[in-house]
Amino acid sequence: MDSEKVIIVEGKSDKKKIEPLIRDSVEIICTNGTVSAQKIEELVDEFDLDNKDVYILADADYAGEKLRKQLKRELPNANHIYIDKVYREVATTPEYQLATALLSKNINVDPKFLIK
C-alpha cells in the first residue's frame, strides 16, 4: 500500500531513529545531505510528492537549514517538523522529543515514546 505521508530526512541515521516511533504508514526518504533542484524534482516524481502529505525533518544545523530552504522552494506545501537546536541532529534528539514533534503534525506515534 502506498502511504499518503512522506517524511524527508537527511540521512540513514535519522531514518533509523524515527522509524520505530511511527505507527502511521509513512514513507521515509533520505536525501543524504544537500540536494540539487534537479534531485528534488526527481524525488517529487519518483514518490509522487505533489499528491502526498510531505513533512520535512532536518537537523538544526547549517546543512539542515540549507536543505530545509531548498525543499521549501521546491515543495512549498510541505510541513516542517523542527527539533530543538540544543540537540542539533535528528539522530541525537531524544525519542520523546521526536515523538512529540511528529505527533504535533498529526503523525501517529507509538505512545510509549511519549512518556519521559
Side-chain angles (χ1 to χ4, degrees):
M1 177 193 111
D2 266 351
S3 57
E4 293 302 305
K5 293 179 181 175
V6 174
I7 300 176
I8 299 175
V9 295
E10 287 178 79
K12 287 184 173 61
S13 59
D14 301 337
K15 181 176 179 171
K16 276 196 188 111
K17 180 83 176 200
I18 66 168
E19 254 176 341
L21 310 180
I22 299 172
R23 281 214 166 142
D24 275 344
S25 166
V26 175
E27 185 142 18
I28 303 170
I29 303 170
C30 299
T31 63
N32 301 312
T34 317
V35 289
S36 64
Q38 182 186 345
K39 173 79 169 131
I40 294 172
E41 279 179 38
E42 288 169 15
L43 289 174
V44 168
D45 293 342
E46 184 182 343
F47 295 97
D48 191 26
L49 298 182
D50 287 330
N51 298 307
K52 295 192 176 165
D53 293 331
V54 179
Y55 300 87
I56 295 161
L57 178 58
D59 293 345
D61 60 11
Y62 176 75
E65 287 306 313
K66 191 174 170 191
L67 174 66
R68 199 181 281 283
K69 277 191 186 120
Q70 281 182 299
L71 292 169
K72 229 177 223 177
R73 271 198 303 272
E74 304 296 323
L75 297 163
N77 297 327
N79 291 286
H80 290 263
I81 302 170
Y82 294 93
I83 58 164
D84 193 312
K85 285 183 171 34
V86 172
Y87 306 114
R88 292 184 56 82
E89 297 174 11
V90 171
T92 57
T93 302
E95 278 95 354
Y96 169 79
Q97 297 282 344
L98 287 170
T100 305
L102 291 163
L103 190 63
S104 75
K105 298 295 181 179
N106 296 315
I107 295 171
N108 192 2
V109 295
D110 187 328
K112 75 178 180 197
F113 294 109
L114 295 171
I115 300 160
K116 269 189 172 173

